Amino acid sequence: MHIHSTNDEHDDAFRQALARSGALDPRKPTTDLVAGALRRLPHTSPRVAARHAALRQALGRAATVAVVALLVIPAAVGAFNLMRGAETPIGAFASTAGQSQMRAAILAAIGQRLDMSLVRALVGALMWLVQVMAVVLTLGFWPRRSAAAGMTLLAMPFRAFGTGLLAIGLLIAGVAALLTLLTATLAGLPIAAVVFILAHLPVALGIAAGARALGFRLAHHCHPPYDLDRHQIIAAALLALPAAIVTFISIPAALAALYILAVPGIGALIHSQGGLQPVSAT
């Protein structure tokens, strides 16, 4: 008695159908397929690739140690100078002409120049243009991460604002303390300038995330696109208006306006893990 397997019969029939259609015939690979496979192959042997990876890891650790040393050593020296009451470079510079007289002269000079409406208008227009360009460039370089942060901001605006407010408060307090220590030594002054500039990177990213969210709201997209469109540019231009308008009153107030605009976006970046994991509304 011979028992036939149903699965074997189906497999044989399927194989015969493929053979009749020519799907099982050997074919010569096309040029684009070969070129694509060659591009995916490593250019070096596994031993050399592992050696290069180990070298990159060692260089990364050395760079991290160097950056930490550049921050910790001047900050520690500055803390020591402040504890023993030594004169700081800022204090020495201010005491050369008298601290109170220098402050009054600087404020008077700034007031005379900034009271002119034309100068304030030019400063406001320049600040508006720089902010729009910075936001557009950020959206262009990080389209998917900024889109994820914008979706998160639309999904949880109040939580994002609270988290961003706490984060920017801690950032300002930490940077202010670090700048105080760094500026207490002469070697720490250039490092303090770099730290002050880099500390505003989260602010720029937060404003960009806010522009994404506003652009999505203006476009009424259910599934927001990653490409930069006119709605994103309009949103960037609208978000740049408050700081530019406040410039007519005070330049420090304009900086405060930038920080406030960045608060919701910073919170959205935190909740979305830097734009890697968007949070949807539940």
Side-chain angles (χ1 to χ4, degrees), residues 29-80:
T30 59
T31 305
D32 56 345
L33 181 62
V34 174
L38 289 176
R39 283 195 300 267
R40 293 184 179 90
L41 291 176
H43 299 286
T44 58
S45 62
R47 180 179 299 179
V48 176
R51 189 181 306 164
H52 290 171
L55 180 60
R56 287 193 299 269
Q57 186 177 8
L59 291 177
R61 291 178 179 176
T64 303
V65 172
V67 171
V68 172
L70 285 175
L71 290 177
V72 172
I73 294 177
V77 175
F80 179 73

Side-chain angles (χ1 to χ4, degrees), residues 216-277:
F216 294 156
R217 184 57 59 87
L218 292 176
H220 303 287
H221 286 305
C222 297
H223 299 285
Y226 299 119
D227 296 334
L228 189 65
D229 56 8
R230 60 185 180 87
H231 297 98
Q232 311 296 333
I233 299 176
I234 293 174
L238 291 177
L239 285 183
L241 287 177
I245 294 174
V246 174
T247 305
F248 288 92
I249 303 174
S250 172
I251 292 181
L255 295 177
L258 291 177
Y259 296 155
I260 295 174
L261 287 174
V263 165
I266 292 176
L269 286 170
I270 294 175
H271 283 289
S272 63
Q273 301 177 12
L276 295 175
Q277 186 65 39

Side-chain angles (χ1 to χ4, degrees), residues 56-245:
R56 287 193 299 269
Q57 186 177 8
L59 291 177
R61 291 178 179 176
T64 303
V65 172
V67 171
V68 172
L70 285 175
L71 290 177
V72 172
I73 294 177
V77 175
F80 179 73
N81 290 339
L82 292 176
M83 290 176 61
R84 66 188 182 92
E87 189 176 24
T88 62
I90 301 292
F93 176 76
S95 63
T96 54
Q99 187 173 3
S100 59
Q101 296 178 359
M102 179 177 290
R103 186 185 301 112
I106 291 175
L107 291 177
I110 293 176
Q112 290 177 359
R113 286 169 173 78
L114 294 184
D115 280 340
M116 296 184 296
S117 59
L118 179 60
V119 175
R120 288 182 176 271
L122 291 176
V123 173
L126 181 61
M127 180 171 291
W128 179 86
L129 181 61
V130 170
Q131 183 178 344
V132 172
M133 292 176 60
V135 171
V136 170
L137 288 176
T138 303
L139 297 180
F141 277 111
W142 292 284
R144 294 184 177 273
R145 292 198 177 193
S146 60
M151 293 170 59
T152 302
L153 180 55
L154 292 178
M156 47 174 62
F158 297 106
R159 289 180 58 186
F161 183 83
T163 304
L165 189 62
L166 178 61
I168 200 168
L170 293 176
L171 177 65
I172 293 175
V175 171
L178 184 59
L179 292 179
T180 302
L181 298 178
L182 290 175
T183 53
T185 61
L186 187 61
L189 291 177
I191 302 175
V194 175
V195 170
F196 180 77
I197 295 174
L198 293 179
H200 287 80
L201 182 60
V203 177
L205 295 177
I207 296 176
R212 270 289 190 188
L214 181 58
F216 294 156
R217 184 57 59 87
L218 292 176
H220 303 287
H221 286 305
C222 297
H223 299 285
Y226 299 119
D227 296 334
L228 189 65
D229 56 8
R230 60 185 180 87
H231 297 98
Q232 311 296 333
I233 299 176
I234 293 174
L238 291 177
L239 285 183
L241 287 177
I245 294 174

Side-chain angles (χ1 to χ4, degrees), residues 4-27:
H4 295 281
S5 175
T6 305
N7 292 332
D8 292 341
E9 292 178 355
H10 290 169
D11 292 342
D12 293 338
F14 182 64
R15 190 177 297 106
Q16 292 174 3
L18 291 177
R20 286 194 299 269
S21 64
L24 298 181
D25 296 339
R27 298 179 183 274

